[in-house]
Amino acid sequence: MADDDGMRVGEGLLLISVCMGQVWVALTISGRLEKLEVEGAHKLTGNIYKGVVERLAPAIDAAFVKLEEGVYGFLQAGDLAPNSIGVETVSRLARIQIDSLRPGQSILVQVVHEPRGQKCPRLTTRISLRGRFTGLIAQGADHSSVSHTITNVRVRERLLRIVEKYRPLDCGVHVFPEAAERNENEIANDIRELVKIWHDIVFRYKSTSAPSLLYRSPSLIERSLFSMAHKVSEIIIDSPEHYERLLAVAMQHLPYVASRIKLYDSPTPLFDAYGVSKQVETALSKVVKLPSGGYIVIETTEALTSVDVNTGHMLVGDPREIALHVNMEAAEELARQLRIRNISGLIIVDFVDMPSSHSWVRLQERLQRELSLDEVETRIMTLSPTGVVELTRQRHGLSLEELLMEPCEHCGNGKVPSALTIALKLWRELLLESSLRPADVDAVVCAHPKVIAPLLQAGEEELERLESIAQRKIWLFASRSLRRDQFEIAFGEDALKPYLEAEPKEGEQFDLRAGDELYPSEAPKFALFKNKLVRLPEGIGVETPRISFKLERVGRWFAEATWMPSVEPVAKNEIDALKLKTEGGEAR
């Protein structure tokens, strides 16, 4: 299949869902999920900063760099590129020591890994800029390279000749798979655009005070347009705002793709309509079933990921053929799960034992072929006679588990869906159930406060969008008696009446004491009063012994409170300081 530009077009679908500040991008081929990416509202990876060296940590050969107010990054000596901006070096070959930096100095850095748990974002001075077909390495490289997924020797040689012709001195250029069918002029223009961006960044570095953001990396939606458009016949997006933006980018850079971009406006959630939601749930499960009846078990620890292949209930037939068949299925599914889950680092795979060396050769060839489809480099390191394979996969952002799961607050060892993940599931379930009900019948939702809070954090515009899609008013209530993974959805006046009778009323007073839980931890903060989350004034904390509030408005989604004039004397001075902070800082 070819488009109007003569480019070969894949048969897959690119599904883009925007919900509660998160962007989900799924690539499906024949209904099967092949790739999944999730991006939050506060993505840092790819951003370039003029940072300030805050302090050195010689014991670990690293430094901490201030990027913005309250945001710090971790820079190791191995990530210091010779002759990069802010780094003084004597020789390009000599290893740069961390003590070549000094606290207080400015330095040009780029975020390469998002913060993980309590860890700071990882930084580098090797600056990389992503274009449509190529990537420019502006510091730390002076050669060209081609994606390992382009295997045709003649195509690789042609691309190398082109990029070497236009590669700037002291910069590197990497060619992405999308360039394989592009002509010299298109590739050259792409490199020129990246060089212009790099010059603008250098100019801003010289003219801007530190710390400051110099360059914000393209969004996941834009990156997906450039990297996956050639693989799909349609791009379907469920957000009108992002649809218009994506269409404008396509018309400017990839006009032949614009006709393939469609706006999804059905009340049924996009991922549910195309069967992706269940496949995502499978990707969060330890056990993945194989078509033959076998299964694989995937477990990730701090040090490595282990994969165990089992024959399951497949017991009829020649044991040697059964073992080979299950292993072949497992090899294909393993490569797919690595892409979907974005698992990186060391991966140990225990295949079903096979007596024939010929079978092992066939298995290794199959595994290598499946892994070659991954844009992230994955290597087979060892294959033992007992069937244990050791793989390494390059780190490329957070894994799906890191994005959607968090440590269990009860045992501390296991992983459970995060409050945001459960809130997203609630959102989907609400739309699914609404699609089966008559329009304009009010929906009533009750969940744990930690689950309702992310819905409120998404903002009133997002909640209005939810009501518009569901074609009804939505009432939100909270209860600590529900488990965090448990929520209730009901419809109609009879379901709403008991909640309205129990909810707080305007003018009621309530007290907040030290130790009372707020939802969430960042602003705006909410406190639970009766069955409603109450938005508190800015600057509030729970450090004071007692603060009193008065409800000034109770709405469908949340209530709002204001300071009470009469408070306990012990807290009055602290409240006055908080009020001064929220009303404009210094007294006038």
Side-chain angles (χ1 to χ4, degrees), residues 184-203:
E184 180 175 338
N185 188 50
E186 289 175 305
I187 296 173
N189 286 338
D190 195 47
I191 295 174
R192 291 190 190 103
E193 288 178 13
L194 294 176
V195 172
K196 182 180 183 301
I197 293 173
W198 168 239
H199 289 161
D200 290 343
I201 291 170
V202 173
F203 175 80

Side-chain angles (χ1 to χ4, degrees), residues 356-367:
S356 169
S357 59
H358 178 66
S359 297
W360 284 116
V361 171
R362 289 178 60 189
L363 175 62
Q364 187 169 0
E365 290 174 350
R366 176 67 175 272
L367 181 60

Side-chain angles (χ1 to χ4, degrees), residues 380-394:
I380 300 177
M381 306 303 292
T382 60
L383 173 59
S384 76
T386 58
V388 176
V389 178
E390 182 179 313
L391 310 173
T392 59
R393 188 173 187 269
Q394 189 177 8

